[in-house]
Amino acid sequence: MDVTRVKQILSSSADINVTYNGISVWIDQLNEDGKTATVHLRGPLEERSEVEISELKEV
């Protein structure tokens, strides 16, 4: 995924399915470096991780 699409997803009110390593995640924010984003797993766990945006996939 590229930085433009991450920004579009963050500003959208739609429920857009994004995965990281095959696991469904929510994108919380694009980090200042423009190469990573903070995400958390969909579901009850709120654990957040910083991941490379290039590894995010839109399903």
Side-chain angles (χ1 to χ4, degrees):
M1 187 173 292
D2 64 25
V3 68
T4 303
R5 186 61 184 140
V6 171
K7 288 178 181 178
Q8 290 171 343
I9 290 170
L10 286 169
S11 66
S12 174
S13 61
D15 182 5
I16 299 168
N17 194 5
V18 175
T19 62
Y20 173 70
N21 288 340
I23 299 168
S24 188
V25 296
W26 290 106
I27 302 174
D28 295 317
Q29 70 180 26
L30 178 64
N31 296 328
E32 290 181 20
D33 63 10
K35 297 178 184 173
T36 61
T38 303
V39 302
H40 71 273
L41 297 176
R42 288 180 178 243
L45 298 176
E46 291 291 323
E47 182 178 334
R48 290 177 171 25
S49 301
E50 189 172 299
V51 301
E52 297 284 327
I53 63 171
S54 61
E55 296 181 34
L56 295 173
K57 306 272 187 259
E58 186 173 350
V59 180

